[in-house]
Amino acid sequence: MNDALDVTLRLLIVFVVFLAFPLIVGQTEHKVMAHMQGRLGPMYAGGFHGWAQLVADGVKFAQKEDVVPAEADRRIFQLAPAVALLPYLLVLLAVPVGPGEGAVGQVVDAGIFFVLAVMGVGVLGSLMAGWSSANKFSLLGGLRTAAQLLAYELPMLLTAASVAMAAGTVSLVGILDAFEWWWLPWQIVGAIVFFVAGLAELQRPPFDMPVADSEIIFGAYTEYTGLRFALFLLAEYAGIVVLCGLTTVLFLGGWHGPWGADGLGWVWTLLKTAALAFVVIWLRVTYPRLREDQLQKLSWTLLVPLSLAQIALTGVVKVVIQ
Amino acid sequence: MTLATAAAHMTAAHTAAAHLAAAPTTGAPEPHGFLSPTGVEIAFLLVGLVTFGAAVVTVTTRQLVHAALWLVVALGGLAVEYLLLTAEFIAWVQVLIYVGAVVVLILFGLMLTRAPIGRSPDADSGNRWAALTVAVAAAAALVWVVADAFRTTWIDLDGPASGSTAVTGASLFQNWVLPFEALSVLLLAALVGAIVLSRRAQPDRSLTPTVSDAPRPAPSGAGPADTAGTGEKADNGPDQADSAERSEGANKANKASKDDKADKGDDR
Amino acid sequence: MPPIPGSGLAKGLAVTLRTMTRKTVTEQYPDAQPELPPRTRGVIGLFEENCTVCMLCARECPDWCIYIDSHKETVPAATPGGRDRSRNVLDRFAIDFSLCMYCGICIEVCPFDALFWSPEFEYAETDIRDLTHERDKLREWMWTVPAPPALDPGAEEPKELAAARKTADKLAAQQEAARAAEQTATAPGERPEPEDRPEPGHEPGSESAPGHEPGRAPDSGPGHARPGHAREPGSAPGREPGQEDRE
């Protein structure tokens, strides 16, 4: 009975985090982006500096009509948002926040593989949406999504493998237990490659060719309205949370901090994740969208060689220090 | 029906992987009877039924993209089976490679070439019986091999996970290192072959006289427009090179040959 | 020297980060009124006392959005035996702001300075017919017309002021001459410096000065008399360089 309570509690906490953190990131994006452009951003909703803007957006989305195009493949069209969103919920289960068993939703033995595999499934949702909308822009968006996933999954995996080599385990908790501060400079190239590839996989600007709203009208999501569209948006922001959390865990040492008092490790994890989320927003504001060929070129001619070099470096250092 | 054979191939690969996962298992304690199922065994059977059903739908559905998506269900079901057999690492790799990469590639190919919504009556080929025979034969052979190899061996689910990453890695690089390396070489050869195939047009390009240099006596391919349909494939390389050069020196290019090529481009 | 690779990317990041730390430029309009420049083309005010119904504005209007009705009245002769004068009386003056394109030609062509720009812009209506502002409404807008901006330092004086000053100076000189003649007659002594620029409004006979028609400038209108405009007495109050009157 106690076990059941424990499981329920963990699931509940993860679910709350899953719903709350993307909204926080989204709200931060509203405000940070506005100020980086010399604007104020939302100011009204909720009274104080528009803190409830995304809640209001959610209410608005919920009120909208749920339209399925006549020519669309109805079932797949309706299923796609769930396929896009649920993987991130599963990934959050496995991301450790603090030291010990109590601070992770579920310890997964092959944590890295679980996380990367399930994140890859999320892209399937975009593909389903792109195909089933019966819209040429959506199809283009789906194609670009697929091409981008194929290009960027590889460097992401390779750099994650580099960390796994360094730690000698593929478990996220194990990696954090083995973490030393000098891994930071050792794995810095891998960290950057992982982060950039993750951004591309999430289709965040400047890698947002698949949803490029000014040329293919939000790509795979062109035909979506109301709640289903909101689910796709939620998936994007949940993806940011997951990517930042993963980068924190894999490369920035998670709960380790310079003056990490016991029991406050989760603060470090959250701080690092928040800082990375800020960087995600910052990059979005700063850089223009890459062209499709530039996107592919960046992955195959820069990120993949860099990640291979990182693996070589990791191997050499690992052998030397043993 | 290519999907059917593809599915058969994949089943073969999975069975091999399952073999790998099950290899280090120890002989089970006797009390396991065939007809005294535990919860895990029931789940295993149910998931197996779902997987089998999804696989059947994959090869029988007349909607191409649906077939690919049912393949996701089948592959995901296999991953769950691995998970139930405590082979966690293999389960996630299954999801990563097959769902995350292979199916995405299939979908990419489908969407790039043709992705009709609704039924595609022309998707059937005449050799469906041959494909069925091959599939059934392959499945029978695999079932026979696996059943013969393991007989009534049971995995001890209560003990330490016998399919964990460490165990899998150890058995992979100690007992099975030769097949592993052979597979690596095979994949490397495939990779090199793909690169060679995609770069074959390169020498052609250097031989093609550049349009901007001098007016060309005859349109490229030297064929009249009506034969272009047959000669197109061969022309592909130089013609594309031409079009790239044409964009550089379009104003200097011979107008007649340009028009001719534009027509051919439309045909294609 | 070739730039360090990635320095451009870093520069871009620096720009956005710097912008984030600066003050925003957003105007929170409904909460805070915008600070509009005094010559903003918001709405057209009619100073109907100056209107002579010459119809120039209505004729020049590219949109034909000015409606003027008038009739003639006969003014009896001022002096016995004089000729009766006829005078135009304004019956209706309306501007349809749903047609107006805010070109300002009417204001430019008005020879008697009866039309003015006001920066007021909040006159949206739910019925398009309400956008036709009649004479009284146009007159109301006059209260919102800001004083004209100051002349550039060293600029030539406005013609009206120059003419007024000329008249006033002449008058003062006459008075001075008369007084001087008086004083030389009585006792030769120190005499005060002649006032350089007497205020026309306080001078007898300055009513006829062309630069000082009563209420010719909006600033002299009721409710708009700004105490802060006390300047040197020579310049007409209507030509004061008042700034915008709304914060």
Side-chain angles (χ1 to χ4, degrees), chain B residues 112-132:
Chain B
L112 205 56
T113 50
R114 49 158 61 187
I117 287 187
R119 288 152 187 275
S120 20
D122 57 335
D124 275 336
S125 74
N127 47 15
R128 72 164 74 179
W129 292 111
L132 187 64

Side-chain angles (χ1 to χ4, degrees), chain B residues 37-58:
Chain B
T38 61
V40 177
E41 287 168 23
I42 294 174
F44 187 89
L45 270 181
L46 290 180
V47 175
L49 282 178
V50 170
T51 308
F52 181 70
V56 169
V57 177
T58 301

Side-chain angles (χ1 to χ4, degrees), chain B residues 73-141:
Chain B
V73 178
L75 296 173
L78 271 182
V80 175
E81 300 279 47
Y82 290 143
L83 211 54
L84 289 173
L85 292 174
T86 72
E88 203 181 294
F89 176 75
I90 292 180
W92 301 135
V93 170
Q94 160 89 6
V95 175
L96 187 66
I97 302 298
Y98 282 99
V99 178
V102 170
V103 173
V104 169
L105 200 59
I106 290 177
L107 279 176
F108 185 58
L110 279 179
M111 286 157 83
L112 205 56
T113 50
R114 49 158 61 187
I117 287 187
R119 288 152 187 275
S120 20
D122 57 335
D124 275 336
S125 74
N127 47 15
R128 72 164 74 179
W129 292 111
L132 187 64
T133 314
V134 171
V136 166

Side-chain angles (χ1 to χ4, degrees), chain B residues 54-209:
Chain B
V56 169
V57 177
T58 301
V59 291
T60 52
T61 182
R62 286 172 181 274
Q63 305 192 31
L64 281 178
V65 178
H66 281 200
L69 293 175
W70 278 112
L71 193 60
V72 173
V73 178
L75 296 173
L78 271 182
V80 175
E81 300 279 47
Y82 290 143
L83 211 54
L84 289 173
L85 292 174
T86 72
E88 203 181 294
F89 176 75
I90 292 180
W92 301 135
V93 170
Q94 160 89 6
V95 175
L96 187 66
I97 302 298
Y98 282 99
V99 178
V102 170
V103 173
V104 169
L105 200 59
I106 290 177
L107 279 176
F108 185 58
L110 279 179
M111 286 157 83
L112 205 56
T113 50
R114 49 158 61 187
I117 287 187
R119 288 152 187 275
S120 20
D122 57 335
D124 275 336
S125 74
N127 47 15
R128 72 164 74 179
W129 292 111
L132 187 64
T133 314
V134 171
V136 166
L142 284 169
V143 166
W144 181 63
V145 167
V146 171
D148 187 52
F150 295 105
R151 302 271 169 186
T152 53
T153 314
W154 293 84
I155 297 175
D156 183 16
L157 294 177
D158 298 328
S162 49
S164 69
T165 316
V167 177
T168 310
S171 76
L172 193 64
F173 287 100
Q174 282 166 7
N175 305 337
W176 302 90
V177 71
L178 192 63
F180 180 82
E181 291 301 330
L183 267 179
S184 306
V185 172
L186 179 71
L187 287 176
L188 187 66
L191 203 64
V192 172
I195 291 173
V196 167
L197 280 178
S198 63
R199 287 175 70 92
R200 203 179 52 176
Q202 209 67 352
D204 289 354
R205 184 180 299 220
S206 58
L207 288 178
T208 312

